[in-house]
Amino acid sequence: MKLSSDKKARLKWKSLDVLYVLVSILLALVAGGVFILITGNNPLQAYGIMFSKAFSSFGQVLRRATVYILTGLAVSIPIKTGVINMGGEGQVAAGALTAAVLGSAFMLPLGIHPIACMLGAMITGAVLALIPAVFKTRFGSSEVVTGIMVNYLVQYLLQYLSMYTFRGSANSAQTAEVFDSAKIARVGDAQWSYGLFIAIALCFAMHFVMSRTRVGLEMQSAGLNPLAARYQGVNVGRMSMLAMALGGAMAGLGGSLEVLGGRYLYLDTYFASYGFDGIAVSYMAKNNPIMIIITAMFISVLKVGAVALDRQTNVSVHFSTALQGIFIILLVSPYIVQAIVAKLKPKRKAQLTAEE
Amino acid sequence: MAEPVISMRDVTIRFGSLVANDKVSLDIEKGEIMALLGENGAGKSTLMKILYGLYMRESGEITVDGKAMPRKFSPSDAIGLGIGMVPQHFMLVDSFSVAENIVLGEEQKASRLLLNKEKIFSMVEPLCKEFGIDVSPRQKVENLPLGVKQKIEILKALFRQTKILILDEPTTVLTPQEVDELFKMLRSLQKKGLTVVIITHKMHEVLAVTDRITVMRHGKHIATFNTADTNTQELARTMVGKDVASVHVEQSDAPLGEPSFVIDRVNTPPSEDRCNLKDFCLKLYPGKVVGVAGIDGNGQTELVEVLTGVRRMHSGSITAGGNTITENTTDSMRRLGIGVIPEDRIEQGLVMEFCVRDNIMMGYKGDPRFERHGIFRMKAVDRYVDELVGKYDVRPARRSAVCRYISGGNQQKVVLARELERPALQAVVASQPVRGLDVGAIQFTHQTLLRLRGEDKSILLVSSDLDEIKSLSDYIAVIRDGRIVAFKKADEFSKDEIGLYMSGAIADEGCAV
């Protein structure tokens, strides 16, 4: 009896959350429609182009989503611990370069090579993420500001490295292609690789860590109430460093999966905006690792669709970014959506007040 | 009987789904001292805040001096009608003088454009004299005792020609002597024709000073008594809605044995805004409750923080069960077998977004019964948490209930369950363990502490409520300026004497333990 009502309550909350996200998406699409109208296009037609493109090349959607899932995790783990990882942008690119270099510099046995590349990428990401974390716990400086600054450092460093040190092409700033032994197999003839499964598995792993382990409990307590956490003996500083390192590793891994299973090389600026989009992915999922799988897909659909939109109409490819922005504004101003959700369910509300 | 100066009819206000005032009707007569008595959350402050224009009522009528009030009016309208309110937490500007604080906001009475400080002082001086404040109006408020600060708040109201004075929990921060002073002042105000309303949950005080007592419960007006015709039992019953047996310690004359827990010359680093511990000594004994009394801000918080391990001591030692430590980390204190009930369960005690289970598990780090290699053994965890939820009667009886959405009393039960069920528990440090709780939860908390006393645990009770300390303690220690200044058997230590030690009127006896 008790358990079933318990489960019901939880289900109700979950479904409310989903409804919440769905309403936000709908509102964002409506608002985006107004923008499209202003550009002189038919919104319905434009959305039609976007979504049909996204579904006709779903492989591309999945390939991008692989990275988004991991840059999303890169934000959600730290944020649950009370620190904000703004450095995803640098971490994902630096991880990608690391993987490309390790994959093209030498040969390793088939199974081991990609793993070595991924591990290298994760370490790179973790080290980069630790910079703002250490500055925060040691000197109290804002991890947001330091994180963004580190992004710039990394951006130009990577430009230099891909242009000179590891340049593998005569024409552009890119590395050589990784050896076959380092590649992650594509699924059939599709665009996407088995890397997607690694990303999804990590979502479930992170969910497990957060809900079933001591370290997950401590990380979340540090994020939700650092004082109470300290009273229970949690080392809040160490937890934020751990969370940042984990997040950085996720972003680095994301970069490496695109290199090993998609592009096969590192190309300068290729990874631009993947890290920042991770913030949106995590935010839309309310930082829930499982929900991230869905929101990463959604962002990916928008991005892939926007490219088609750009090609076939005069709506710019940046339209997807605008949509994303509107969407996030709606999510951070819960009252707008709450009011609408409440109106959608007038009967239920009346029922509730009657029960009281 | 005099004409009601304030008349409230069917006043209702809601906060979300909570009906904070449910058709409350109340008449306040001219020149009386009335108490609004009720537990925390009974709606008494809310009602008065409506009267003062801070909240807008949903329905109902209010008349002041026969004049009907509109639904929406501001505090300045209320002040204009002669209503003044002294908040629970004083709102004085520390760096201003007494006189400046009193005049603040009404400067035009003293000068038009430029502030004439001399004129302010001369305006305030007679007021101070009249009400027996013996500090100079030129003195800065900063270092004045809380009792004086409160009088300044009252004078602030009087300066605005207040005829109806509302005091919100006026005695919580005062020593017994200061309470007497305050009551004297209120009576002299009454003689001058003022009407006084005291919001409080302390029954003894209202019996001492009021003419009539109105009891509220769950947002409703329950009854109004003439003070002369009622007594504590009746008031308590009306307040709670059922008979309450108060919890008392049966003191024994057996001599104190060996101390089980020794705090020896503990110092904490001095800080600007807080009182540090200075050569703090205290001993606890098995099966005894030691109550620490003192005015808030004399080192109680630091003491609890040191015993929790969140504030490092830089010298001194703590000994329990044969182990002595000089470095107090949360882990080392826990190994000594201390359970801590922190003073602020919302900020320090619980992670409010966590469910009951997670909050309890926070206290069992590394316990092999509940985790293996850092992974929880969920079945064992759930079984254990269910057991505690039953034993401590947490409601709703669900381990997955999120702590933010359960009542304060149940939140405290979660803290108790986590802290007091540790294996090898030696001592309990309870800081303000019943602050803000309803009577049922107060009783439960006190009974739990006494149960542990019966199991020969040592108990340290820190509270700003002297009645609580008096009724629960075997021994009472008075803390002032970061050290213990007196330590006596509870039944030989009168409230007055405690008050004198608290205020420093009786000098320090050194490490008197």
Side-chain angles (χ1 to χ4, degrees):
Chain A
M1 257 314 279
K2 247 178 217 163
L3 261 178
S4 77
S5 72
D6 192 31
K7 243 181 203 162
K8 236 191 233 165
R10 213 179 299 167
L11 270 179
K12 204 182 96 192
W13 276 111
K14 281 272 156 65
S15 68
L16 259 181
D17 260 8
V18 172
L19 182 71
Y20 195 89
V21 173
L22 287 180
V23 169
S24 306
I25 291 177
L26 208 72
L27 280 178
L29 290 179
V30 170
V34 176
F35 282 121
I36 297 174
L37 262 182
I38 293 170
T39 63
N41 289 284
N42 179 350
L44 289 178
Q45 197 190 355
Y47 282 135
I49 294 171
M50 264 181 84
F51 290 114
S52 64
K53 165 71 184 168
F55 285 104
S56 67
S57 45
F58 203 64
Q60 230 180 69
V61 169
L62 293 179
R63 178 172 155 187
R64 276 176 164 269
T66 308
V67 188
Y68 286 134
I69 287 173
L70 287 164
T71 51
L73 281 181
V75 175
S76 84
I77 300 162
I79 221 163
K80 276 176 172 278
T81 315
V83 276
I84 301 170
N85 182 12
M86 287 299 270
E89 195 75 10
Q91 292 148 17
V92 72
L97 181 79
T98 312
V101 169
L102 291 178
S104 58
F106 40 75
M107 292 250 239
L108 280 174
L110 208 60
I112 297 172
H113 204 171
I115 293 177
C117 294
M118 288 191 277
L119 279 180
M122 288 169 80
I123 292 169
T124 309
V127 168
L128 288 180
L130 270 175
I131 298 170
V134 169
F135 271 78
K136 184 191 171 87
T137 43
R138 278 289 138 84
F139 311 114
S141 47
S142 156
E143 79 276 21
V144 173
V145 176
T146 350
I148 294 173
M149 292 305 149
V150 170
N151 277 343
Y152 285 115
L153 279 177
V154 173
Q155 183 191 331
Y156 292 110
L157 182 67
L158 292 181
Q159 193 169 42
Y160 178 86
L161 292 177
S162 55
M163 216 178 264
Y164 301 104
T165 322
F166 299 118
R167 185 159 185 160
S169 151
N171 306 322
S172 61
Q174 65 183 47
T175 64
E177 199 175 305
V178 296
F179 291 118
D180 283 351
S181 64
K183 287 179 183 169
I184 296 175
R186 303 259 175 124
V187 178
D189 291 333
Q191 294 230 9
W192 56 292
S193 74
Y194 284 101
L196 178 65
F197 297 116
I198 298 179
I200 290 176
L202 278 169
C203 287
F204 284 97
M206 284 306 147
H207 181 71
F208 180 83
V209 168
M210 285 298 173
S211 60
R212 290 290 166 91
T213 67
R214 169 67 57 188
V215 77
L217 191 69
E218 294 202 343
M219 284 203 286
Q220 290 181 77
S221 70
L224 292 167
N225 186 349
L227 188 61
R230 244 158 45 82
Y231 266 71
Q232 294 305 315
V234 175
N235 186 332
V236 174
R238 196 182 296 161
M239 282 304 141
S240 30
M241 290 204 275
L242 176 66
M244 283 291 263
L246 258 177
M250 291 300 125
L253 178 66
S256 72
L257 289 184
E258 170 59 22
V259 166
L260 303 174
R263 184 86 198 193
Y264 298 139
L265 50 78
Y266 176 84
L267 172 65
D268 191 39
T269 71
Y270 177 78
F271 285 90
S273 102
Y274 268 114
F276 285 132
D277 289 337
I279 299 172
V281 168
S282 177
Y283 210 103
M284 284 157 63
K286 299 201 161 174
N287 308 316
N288 177 330
I290 307 284
M291 291 265 275
I292 278 179
I293 303 169
I294 300 164
T295 53
M297 294 284 184
F298 176 70
I299 291 280
S300 194
V301 164
L302 280 190
K303 292 281 174 184
V304 171
V307 176
L309 199 58
D310 187 50
R311 227 171 276 152
Q312 295 178 32
T313 66
N314 62 349
V315 179
S316 146
V317 68
H318 299 301
F319 171 68
S320 70
T321 317
L323 257 190
Q324 207 175 299
I326 298 168
F327 193 75
I328 287 174
I329 291 172
L330 286 171
L331 280 177
V332 293
S333 34
Y335 292 109
I336 304 176
V337 183
Q338 249 166 34
I340 291 167
V341 172
K343 279 224 170 117
L344 283 177
K345 303 182 151 187
K347 271 182 203 161
R348 277 198 47 110
K349 205 185 163 193
Q351 214 180 339
L352 273 177
T353 40
E355 273 167 26
E356 283 164 21
Chain B
M1 273 283 169
E3 186 75 355
V5 61
I6 285 169
S7 161
M8 304 175 98
R9 286 280 159 271
D10 295 334
V11 171
T12 298
I13 186 172
R14 265 175 237 266
F15 298 119
S17 66
L18 174 85
V19 188
N21 282 165
D22 189 1
K23 295 194 174 166
V24 178
S25 297
L26 178 70
D27 285 325
I28 301 168
E29 282 157 15
K30 202 171 159 56
E32 75 171 337
I33 300 184
M34 176 186 262
L36 268 184
L37 185 67
E39 295 194 73
N40 284 290
K44 43 198 200 307
S45 283
T46 308
L47 186 67
M48 287 300 113
K49 281 177 181 166
I50 293 174
L51 180 61
Y52 192 58
L54 286 169
Y55 294 147
M56 193 169 67
R57 65 188 187 273
E58 208 169 280
S59 60
E61 266 102 63
I62 298 176
T63 52
V64 177
D65 266 337
K67 181 174 169 280
M69 299 297 290
R71 202 162 83 88
K72 191 178 175 182
F73 59 95
S74 71
S76 50
D77 297 332
I79 292 169
L81 287 166
I83 300 172
M85 189 155 175
V86 176
Q88 189 175 357
H89 304 286
F90 305 146
M91 308 212 180
L92 299 172
V93 183
D94 272 347
S95 54
F96 277 14
S97 68
V98 172
E100 283 167 321
N101 263 297
I102 290 174
V103 176
L104 186 63
E106 300 277 314
E107 301 85 358
Q108 71 278 12
K109 283 185 187 163
S111 46
R112 290 230 169 272
L113 200 55
L114 293 171
L115 213 53
N116 181 344
K117 285 204 176 181
E118 284 313 309
K119 195 166 174 199
I120 292 178
F121 290 137
S122 62
M123 280 173 79
V124 170
E125 202 139 28
L127 202 60
C128 286
K129 280 227 174 74
E130 193 180 344
F131 293 101
I133 293 192
D134 35 16
V135 295
S136 154
R138 290 162 200 273
Q139 191 168 342
K140 276 192 183 170
V141 164
E142 215 161 22
N143 300 316
L144 293 176
L146 288 166
V148 178
K149 284 191 183 174
Q150 184 166 51
K151 283 188 175 174
I152 296 170
E153 282 278 7
I154 295 174
L155 291 189
K156 225 167 111 177
L158 295 181
F159 189 76
R160 287 154 181 73
Q161 322 287 298
T162 292
K163 287 176 292 193
I164 303 139
L165 183 65
I166 304 164
L167 299 151
D168 194 353
E169 300 282 0
T171 61
T172 37
V173 293
L174 305 184
T175 65
Q177 282 79 14
E178 285 173 326
V179 171
D180 288 343
E181 284 266 302
L182 171 72
F183 287 172
K184 238 183 267 167
M185 182 171 182
L186 294 184
R187 279 201 205 89
S188 73
L189 291 177
Q190 184 183 25
K191 284 201 189 94
K192 291 187 167 55
L194 260 82
T195 310
V196 180
V197 181
I198 304 173
I199 302 169
T200 183
H201 64 273
K202 296 185 179 173
M203 292 176 294
H204 303 283
E205 290 168 1
V206 298
L207 285 168
V209 72
T210 57
D211 301 308
R212 290 199 307 157
I213 299 166
T214 293
V215 180
M216 289 184 70
R217 186 172 74 228
H218 298 322
K220 291 197 177 76
H221 174 237
I222 303 297
T224 299
F225 301 100
N226 285 319
T227 307
D229 307 334
T230 186
N231 54 46
T232 22
Q233 282 82 12
E234 186 178 24
L235 288 176
R237 204 181 318 121
T238 321
M239 234 167 107
V240 185
K242 59 179 182 215
D243 279 310
V244 258
S246 65
V247 180
H248 262 280
V249 155
E250 290 298 325
Q251 272 148 358
S252 77
D253 283 329
L256 282 174
E258 278 294 299
S260 52
F261 193 94
V262 180
I263 306 167
D264 189 29
R265 276 163 304 178
V266 165
N267 286 282
T268 56
S271 69
E272 256 179 42
D273 49 339
R274 299 177 66 180
C275 175
N276 59 313
L277 299 181
K278 303 170 185 89
D279 277 338
F280 186 95
C281 300
L282 188 63
K283 292 189 178 103
L284 303 183
Y285 299 87
K288 300 279 184 237
V289 179
V290 174
V292 173
I295 303 170
D296 280 353
N298 272 276
Q300 293 96 321
T301 310
E302 286 67 20
L303 172 62
V304 175
E305 284 174 351
V306 163
L307 294 178
T308 315
V310 292
R311 177 175 295 255
R312 295 279 178 278
M313 54 194 195
H314 67 186
S315 71
S317 66
I318 297 169
T319 307
N323 298 315
T324 300
I325 58 159
T326 51
E327 242 174 80
N328 60 324
T329 62
T330 35
D331 284 345
S332 67
M333 293 313 289
R334 208 170 264 180
R335 273 197 299 275
L336 285 183
I338 303 185
V340 180
I341 302 159
E343 63 181 36
D344 186 340
R345 66 181 157 275
I346 295 169
E347 287 298 321
Q348 302 159 345
L350 294 171
V351 178
M352 298 302 272
E353 285 77 13
F354 272 1
C355 64
V356 171
R357 179 190 67 200
D358 291 352
N359 265 308
I360 288 179
M361 272 306 120
M362 288 294 290
Y364 289 85
K365 186 178 184 171
D367 191 324
R369 287 179 294 167
F370 307 123
E371 57 185 277
R372 189 187 289 151
H373 309 307
I375 296 171
F376 287 122
R377 311 164 79 155
M378 292 316 276
K379 269 196 188 132
V381 167
D382 286 351
R383 208 178 320 121
Y384 182 70
V385 170
D386 283 347
E387 196 184 300
L388 290 189
V389 162
K391 183 169 178 184
Y392 283 81
D393 192 25
V394 178
R395 285 179 216 180
R398 281 194 285 118
R399 56 175 179 262
S400 60
V402 174
C403 285
R404 185 171 298 289
Y405 303 114
I406 65 180
S407 72
N410 284 301
Q411 289 167 356
Q412 190 73 328
K413 285 176 186 174
V414 175
V415 174
L416 294 176
R418 182 185 66 208
E419 297 295 329
L420 306 182
E421 289 300 322
R422 281 214 180 101
L425 183 78
Q426 293 283 329
V428 178
V429 177
S431 180
Q432 320 288 358
V434 298
R435 184 178 274 176
L437 299 185
D438 61 52
V439 169
I442 290 176
Q443 228 181 338
F444 183 88
T445 308
H446 284 165
Q447 273 162 356
T448 306
L449 289 178
L450 293 190
R451 169 170 67 81
L452 292 163
R453 173 179 175 269
E455 293 167 9
D456 267 355
K457 313 287 185 216
S458 320
I459 292 159
L460 182 72
L461 171 69
V462 180
S463 173
S464 52
D465 184 348
L466 258 187
D467 290 327
E468 183 187 11
I469 288 197
K470 282 287 279 178
S471 63
L472 284 182
S473 307
D474 296 286
Y475 286 82
I476 295 176
V478 179
I479 188 172
R480 190 165 61 79
D481 196 23
R483 58 160 64 91
I484 297 295
V485 294
F487 184 88
K488 287 187 186 174
K489 218 159 180 264
D491 46 10
E492 292 161 7
F493 210 173
S494 75
K495 253 185 162 180
D496 285 333
E497 202 185 350
I498 297 172
L500 294 174
Y501 277 109
M502 278 163 70
S503 62
I506 301 183
D508 197 335
E509 289 181 1
C511 217
V513 188

